[in-house]
Amino acid sequence: MQVITTCAEMSRLSWAAERPLGLVPTMGALHEGHLSLVRQARTDSAAMAASIFVNPTQFGPNEDFATYPRSLERDLELLQAEGADLVFVPPPHEVYPDGFDTWVEPGSIAEGMEGAARPGHFRGVATVVAKLFTIIRPDRAYFGQKDGQQVAVIRKMNADLNLGVDVVTMPTIREPDGLALSSRNAYLSAEERETAPAVYRALCAAEDIWRRGERDAGRIQRAAHNILSREPLIDAVDYVSTVDAETMQPLETVPDHRPVMIAIAVRLGPVRLIDNVVLG
Ligand code: PAF
């Protein structure tokens, strides 16, 4: 496994790599969710690359960039054990040199939900992923459904800018009690951790009434709100949204002919938890 810190060297080694080349972009602090992407990439590809880069431009001024969990040595051991060939670990000035001033600005797909709660977040995500795709030129890149709007934004950018990468979405990996794995779960206190699975229970309640025939988005969302409102430690429900799973546009009625995503964001102590299910 080679660890590379410059864009030039990463491009050179990617060009020389066997094909197909699979890429798993990450911000490190790897958990089983990331490893499920890595394993799929390894299975699908002749050569496998991962990137570890805590991308400053996707964090807002009052967000946790400085304190985001970092565990580079352990991450590299895990990637080595999974058989990664190339790991790109650039310092910030390598990705954003002095004078960097060109951005990928997603459109309406990034307006709601996380885009509304975190202004500029998806501009940072789209820009860094476009750069990673351009530097590494993978045949396939792997992302988790846990960040459902992020994958939709990346798919749209990849199509709109003809980047030509096969974007693969992998299922959310959950703890036995339903909590979706996330690097930020490490910030939860013991009591908050006990409350956290309510988010998935709320999604399951929404999915359940949809399965029983309900198609009104307001009533489906209320089923989720009912579960969340019983949890005193949840400080705020940022949103419970029913959206088209491809365009992220809000729906009033759930159609039977298009995939639909129900997404939730709540604030629990120091953490914003996000999760979603795709109906079907
Ligand atoms: O999901 C993440 O870890 C990040 O948003 C990504 C896709 C690696 C871009 O920085």
Side-chain angles (χ1 to χ4, degrees):
M1 182 175 91
Q2 284 175 279
V3 179
I4 302 111
T5 56
T6 68
C7 299
E9 181 71 350
M10 189 65 204
S11 287
R12 198 181 65 74
L13 290 170
S14 307
W15 275 109
E18 281 185 66
R19 297 279 160 167
L21 171 64
L23 170 67
V24 181
T26 81
M27 299 207 299
L30 302 184
H31 51 63
E32 277 298 315
H34 298 110
L35 296 182
S36 73
L37 312 181
V38 166
R39 289 178 192 130
Q40 190 64 46
R42 181 69 281 172
T43 306
D44 293 348
S45 321
M48 198 264 277
S51 60
I52 300 176
F53 179 62
V54 184
N55 173 34
T57 65
Q58 69 187 74
F59 290 79
N62 300 318
E63 294 184 13
D64 57 345
F65 173 66
T67 56
Y68 191 83
R70 288 165 171 87
S71 53
L72 184 58
E73 256 181 52
R74 184 172 166 276
D75 292 346
L76 292 176
E77 279 168 23
L78 289 168
L79 290 169
Q80 168 110 48
E82 296 297 340
D85 298 299
L86 303 171
V87 186
F88 185 39
V89 190
H93 68 260
E94 186 64 25
V95 179
Y96 299 112
D98 283 349
F100 179 88
D101 200 18
T102 301
W103 300 92
V104 178
E105 188 75 63
S108 62
I109 197 163
E111 273 167 14
M113 301 189 293
E114 289 309 283
R118 304 180 67 188
H121 170 66
F122 286 123
R123 175 172 107 142
V125 169
T127 301
V128 81
V129 173
K131 284 184 65 108
L132 291 169
F133 283 7
T134 309
I135 294 163
I136 301 171
R137 309 251 169 201
D139 298 286
R140 300 193 189 101
Y142 297 77
F143 299 89
Q145 176 60 35
K146 150 90 171 41
D147 297 307
Q149 189 176 14
Q150 167 171 282
V151 194
V153 165
I154 290 168
R155 279 185 182 283
K156 182 82 175 110
M157 171 199 68
N158 181 59
D160 284 353
L161 301 183
N162 302 93
L163 298 182
V165 177
D166 184 2
V167 175
V168 181
T169 308
M170 296 292 293
T172 302
I173 304 294
R174 300 181 181 284
E175 300 282 5
D177 61 11
L179 175 64
L181 296 198
S182 161
S183 306
R184 289 187 172 103
N185 292 350
Y187 301 147
L188 294 168
S189 71
E191 279 175 317
E192 289 156 0
R193 174 64 189 79
E194 267 185 43
T195 297
V199 175
Y200 184 56
R201 282 205 306 279
L203 288 167
C204 292
E207 182 169 12
D208 188 51
I209 71 160
W210 170 78
R211 265 189 208 296
R212 285 188 277 118
E214 183 59 68
R215 293 293 178 267
D216 178 78
R219 281 198 284 270
I220 291 173
Q221 288 158 206
R222 257 192 309 280
H225 274 290
N226 285 343
I227 305 282
L228 298 172
S229 63
R230 287 182 213 145
E231 298 296 339
L233 291 188
I234 293 183
D235 301 312
V237 178
D238 277 358
Y239 57 79
V240 176
S241 299
T242 307
V243 296
D244 181 290
E246 196 180 309
T247 65
M248 299 290 119
Q249 298 313 300
L251 298 167
E252 284 178 12
T253 308
V254 174
D256 283 325
H257 55 281
R258 280 187 69 79
V260 168
M261 185 174 97
I262 301 180
I264 292 181
V266 303
R267 274 177 275 149
L268 180 58
V271 183
R272 261 183 101 249
L273 292 177
I274 64 169
D275 199 353
N276 68 80
V277 292
V278 176
L279 301 181

